Amino acid sequence: AQKITQTQPGMFVQEKEAVTLDCTYDTSDQSYGLFWYKQPSSGEMIFLIYQGSYDEQNATEGRYSLNFQKARKSANLVISASQLGDSAMYFCAMSGWDTDKLIFGTGTRLQVFP
Amino acid sequence: DVKVTQSSRYLVKRTGEKVFLECVQDMDHENMFWYRQDPGLGLRLIYFSYDVKMKEKGDIPEGYSVSREKKERFSLILESASTNQTSMYLCASSYSRQGVQPQHFGDGTRLSIL
């Protein structure tokens, strides 16, 4: 069975600083995908970044990067140059290669202060 | 851009009512999903569908049913609403089963059962 663990219920970061949100996963699949989503207080779930298990390079999307360490089964999200608008819940998720079912972690609430 | 539209942002119903939550996507996606989100539990999959008139149970299908008569529309039905179904409901869609695809979410429906 697949499992996602996010051990940080809440994080604080000062504006313009970088922050790392932790995510570890467990799966017996050889091929899988890892995702990060952002959920502002308004409720919509916004797709941020994706990493395939066979991708050798860490994924990047603008200020977001995914620090993928396959041997450690971790897929941490790094947000560089934090902005006030980054304050939100962040969810890590994964799916197997032959299914689109997503398994989510319980989320990390990030608060960016001036 | 992908657009997933949920019919209501907020909904209040009474115990025992039959409740319909509607979801429409405009990107010709094959896959559609219904989740519920509760504090501390993350997102949990209720039902999903890979094709018209096709449905599969997720992790918590009890008390729910779904309907997919057209490719773009996926409805979640609470047959006889109960107070423990008060929750945030999120609909999502993704392109296909080939490889790992990100899911794109609607804005969510906050459902209260009184």
Side-chain angles (χ1 to χ4, degrees), chain A residues 35 37 39 42 91 97 100, chain B residues 9 31 37 50 96 100 103:
Chain A
F35 305 84
Y37 287 85
Q39 187 177 41
S42 50
F91 291 93
W97 204 256
D100 284 319
Chain B
R9 290 299 301 270
N31 309 325
Q37 182 178 20
Y50 289 138
S96 75
V100 177
Q103 292 183 18

Side-chain angles (χ1 to χ4, degrees), chain B residues 22-44:
Chain B
E22 305 288 345
C23 176
V24 177
Q25 50 92 6
D26 67 355
M27 287 302 293
D28 201 34
H29 283 177
E30 293 183 8
N31 309 325
M32 297 190 75
F33 307 83
W34 274 106
Y35 296 88
R36 66 176 282 175
Q37 182 178 20
D38 301 287
L41 297 177
L43 276 78
R44 294 178 292 167

Side-chain angles (χ1 to χ4, degrees), chain A residues 2-4 92-95 101-105, chain B residues 35 43 59:
Chain A
Q2 297 176 332
K3 185 178 180 181
I4 293 284
C92 180
M94 74 177 299
S95 72
K101 289 175 62 176
L102 279 177
I103 306 298
F104 285 84
Chain B
Y35 296 88
L43 276 78
D59 299 318

Side-chain angles (χ1 to χ4, degrees), chain A residues 31-35 37 39-47 49-52 89 91 94-107, chain B residues 9-10 31 33 35 37 40-45 48 50 57-59 88 90 94-108 110:
Chain A
S31 302
Y32 50 88
L34 295 155
F35 305 84
Y37 287 85
Q39 187 177 41
S41 57
S42 50
E44 69 272 27
M45 192 74 76
I46 303 165
F47 166 66
I49 195 167
Y50 157 76
Q51 177 88 39
M89 282 289 288
F91 291 93
M94 74 177 299
S95 72
W97 204 256
D98 61 351
T99 174
D100 284 319
K101 289 175 62 176
L102 279 177
I103 306 298
F104 285 84
T106 52
Chain B
R9 290 299 301 270
Y10 300 91
N31 309 325
F33 307 83
Y35 296 88
Q37 182 178 20
L41 297 177
L43 276 78
R44 294 178 292 167
L45 181 64
F48 60 104
Y50 289 138
K57 292 180 180 179
D59 299 318
M88 171 73 138
L90 288 155
S94 65
Y95 181 60
S96 75
R97 297 188 70 178
Q98 296 176 357
V100 177
Q101 306 284 341
Q103 292 183 18
H104 299 273
F105 286 79
D107 290 344
R110 296 184 190 273

Side-chain angles (χ1 to χ4, degrees), chain A residues 10-21 38 63-64 79-90 108-114:
Chain A
M11 290 283 286
F12 288 89
V13 65
Q14 191 166 28
E15 199 176 7
K16 301 181 184 177
E17 297 293 312
V19 62
T20 298
L21 306 184
K38 172 184 178 182
R63 294 185 299 110
Y64 305 108
I79 305 174
S80 62
S82 298
Q83 301 172 356
L84 296 178
D86 294 334
S87 295
M89 282 289 288
Y90 288 81
T108 296
R109 181 170 298 280
L110 176 66
Q111 292 186 268
V112 182
F113 59 94

Side-chain angles (χ1 to χ4, degrees), chain B residues 6-7 12 14 21 28 32 36 46 50 64 66-67 71 77 83 98-99 104 108 111:
Chain B
Q6 294 184 228
S7 52
V12 180
R14 295 201 175 276
L21 302 183
D28 201 34
M32 297 190 75
R36 66 176 282 175
I46 305 172
Y50 289 138
Y64 303 94
V66 289
S67 172
K71 189 175 184 179
I77 303 158
T83 54
Q98 296 176 357
H104 299 273
L111 175 65

